Structures are given as structure tokens and as C-alpha cells.
Amino acid sequence: MAQQVPQHRALMYSDFGVRLRRLNPSHVEDMPVTYAHQDDYYIIGLMEKGTGCGIIDFKEVTFSPGDVFLVQPGQVHRFVRSEGVEGWMLFADSSLVGAEEKHIFDKFRLFTSSFKIDGQRMDELKQVAVILANRLNCMADELAKATVRRLTESFIGIVAEAVRESGLQHVKYSRRHIEIVLSFLRLLTGHLAAHRSPSYYASRLNISPVYLNEVVKEVTGMSATVYIRYELVLQAKRLLVHTDLAVKEISTRLGIEDCAYFSRIFTQAAGVSPSAFRQRNLE
């Protein structure tokens, strides 16, 4: 007999970093929040029915039946609208996402935030979600908690498999070029405020600045120099929306002491001033 989706709790959660939300159009309170915010965990959405639209890192993403979407830690996101949406949202602490899965998801983020999953894996994910939902409601001991962890890891693993095999990792790019870009982005995360020259990152990667520019442009459509500026503005956008820091404080945090210069860079890239961007995204 088919397992039933629990109806008495819209949001099921654990004390070790797993939450599961059942999306149901008949319960407005069950739907995703519509204000821009930032989380430190992974969010995986599974769309069974209906349509929707969201913003992930200030880019619009549309959803339809059969879609899976992924929000990674640190990405600012919000849901703009939905119509007749049914599905699941899994919230998982980074510790529950294995190294290989993280690597696959990092590649995925280079190109998109959602994709169409095949029917077999959609059915598998729905089955795991129903079992996980029931288990989250009755964790009596450590053994039961271990089962919930394994179910969560299985859900994440199925999604990672689907991403890997979906063709979204753009096989037209060589594996080496993808790995160089991923290493470049990881270095940017930790060193952007202090270093904004491609030559610094090229030296850390043991390649020439010219080669770094070529590879980054091939994969992302932007040279390393332009991508560094893009990442700087993206970090600024996240801070403007997710924090109450003054524009000058954000400028300083990003390694730019001249706030007027920072505002010019931001306005040139975003089309509006930092203050106007904050106001527009908090309305």
C-alpha cells in the first residue's frame, strides 16, 4: 500500500539540520516565503504540479512540473509567485551533503539553478520524501535519527546523479577548464576583499593570467577581470539585501575604502545606486 503524505505538519524538522516542507496550494502558510533572504544550508525544491517563479542571486528562475531547483548556502533568494504548486522542499545542513555532491552542485551553479528531472528519478524522490516526512515525525532514538540522515543523503544523492547525467554541466567544456574555473571561484570567495587582480589568482592556480582569462571567459562568458567585478557586485547585493550594514560599511568589508568609488562601480554594473538597489529589493 502506498505511503501517505503527513497532513498534520507542513514543516517537518530535525535537531541536526534537516527540514522538509510539503508544498500545498490549499494551505497558503505552507508556501515558500516571498521576501529576499539568505540561508547557510542547501535547499532542494521538487515541483510536482503547478508553476512558479523565484529569484536566486538576483536572477529570475521559473518552475514547472518535473523541475528541480537548488539554492546553495549564501545565495539570496525569494519566491515571487506560484500557482497551484505542489511538491517538496528539502532544507539540509552542509554536513549532510557529501564532497562529491557539493562538487557536482558547484558545477551546476555555473550554468543554472533549475533543471528538468527524468520521470524515474522524480518518482524516486517523491517516494523518499514521503518516507522522510513520516520518519521526521517520529524520531524516538539515535537509530531513528541515523535513518533520517541516510534518507536525507539518499535524496541529495539522487538529485546529484540527475544533475550529473542531465547534460547541464556543458560537456562542450573540458573537464580541466571546468575545474580551473571552480578553483578560481573558490579562491575568490576567500580572497576577494584583498585581491582583485587576475594575476593573483593565476599565480595561486599555477597558470598564466592570459590562460586564466581565456578559460574563465570560455566557461562563464566573462574574462577573469570582468568576473571578479561581477562577484564583487554580487557580494555587495547580498549584503545590501541581507544585512543592515551602511553602504560605507559594505564598501569597507569588500576591501574598498573609497565609498564613492564603490558606489560608482556598483551603479555602473547594477544600473542603480546601492541605496536604490536595497530599497527596491526590500519592498
Side-chain angles (χ1 to χ4, degrees):
M1 188 171 77
Q3 297 210 40
Q4 298 298 309
V5 178
Q7 298 299 319
H8 60 289
R9 292 180 71 182
L11 181 64
M12 290 141 282
Y13 59 91
S14 75
D15 57 1
F16 52 81
V18 179
R19 289 188 290 156
L20 186 66
R21 186 190 294 272
R22 175 64 180 167
L23 304 179
N24 188 328
S26 64
H27 296 87
V28 177
E29 67 274 14
D30 297 349
M31 302 309 291
V33 294
T34 57
Y35 58 87
H37 62 292
Q38 187 180 47
D39 300 307
D40 59 0
Y41 43 76
Y42 287 83
I43 302 173
I44 300 174
L46 180 65
M47 294 283 290
E48 297 178 39
K49 297 180 181 179
T51 59
C53 176
I55 306 293
I56 300 177
D57 264 348
F58 314 101
K59 294 180 180 178
E60 185 174 292
V61 182
T62 57
F63 314 115
S64 59
D67 281 350
V68 170
F69 63 87
L70 176 66
V71 181
Q72 302 210 42
Q75 290 189 301
V76 171
H77 56 282
R78 67 187 178 96
F79 293 89
V80 179
R81 63 181 181 275
S82 62
E83 183 175 343
V85 169
E86 290 186 32
W88 295 92
M89 288 180 66
L90 176 72
F91 306 78
D93 187 82
S94 293
S95 64
L96 296 165
V97 182
E100 185 174 358
E101 287 83 357
K102 285 179 179 175
H103 194 65
I104 289 171
F105 293 158
D106 284 345
K107 291 181 184 179
F108 175 71
R109 184 167 54 177
L110 284 174
F111 307 111
T112 187
S113 296
S114 69
F115 72 104
K116 192 75 68 179
I117 198 167
D118 64 89
Q120 178 182 334
R121 285 199 172 91
M122 169 65 83
D123 290 340
E124 291 173 350
L125 289 173
K126 289 193 291 186
Q127 291 172 32
V128 174
V130 171
I131 298 170
L132 180 58
N134 282 294
R135 289 287 185 162
L136 279 165
N137 280 322
C138 56
M139 289 190 297
D141 53 33
E142 289 303 314
L143 181 58
K145 290 180 179 181
T147 300
V148 166
R149 291 189 186 95
R150 287 193 290 270
L151 285 166
T152 302
E153 291 166 353
S154 295
F155 189 101
I156 293 167
I158 292 170
V159 172
E161 286 179 357
V163 169
R164 185 185 61 195
E165 296 172 18
S166 68
L168 287 173
Q169 298 193 30
H170 288 221
V171 292
K172 66 180 180 179
Y173 306 120
S174 74
R175 180 176 297 180
R176 171 168 167 74
H177 286 184
I178 293 288
E179 295 303 324
I180 288 173
V181 171
L182 290 176
S183 296
F184 169 62
L185 298 187
R186 283 191 286 269
L187 285 170
L188 267 183
T189 299
H191 301 274
L192 180 62
H195 301 281
R196 289 186 290 279
S197 169
S199 60
Y200 170 80
Y201 297 99
S203 66
R204 291 290 301 269
L205 295 170
N206 296 313
I207 59 178
S208 72
V210 172
Y211 184 52
L212 176 63
N213 267 306
E214 290 176 352
V215 171
V216 174
K217 186 166 186 178
E218 177 192 8
V219 175
T220 70
M222 294 179 271
S223 67
T225 301
V226 174
Y227 199 94
I228 290 169
R229 179 72 59 88
Y230 166 82
E231 186 68 20
L232 180 74
V233 172
L234 175 59
Q235 294 296 335
K237 288 178 177 179
R238 289 175 174 174
L239 291 168
L240 285 164
V241 173
H242 186 62
T243 75
D244 294 325
L245 293 173
V247 172
K248 182 172 178 55
E249 292 175 297
I250 291 173
S251 175
T252 301
R253 178 173 291 195
L254 293 173
I256 301 176
E257 295 300 329
D258 185 342
C259 185
Y261 174 64
F262 164 74
S263 293
R264 287 197 301 273
I265 291 175
F266 186 94
T267 302
Q268 185 179 41
V272 294
S273 69
S275 298
F277 181 86
R278 167 175 275 166
Q279 183 63 35
R280 186 175 69 186
N281 282 273
L282 292 179
E283 291 175 349

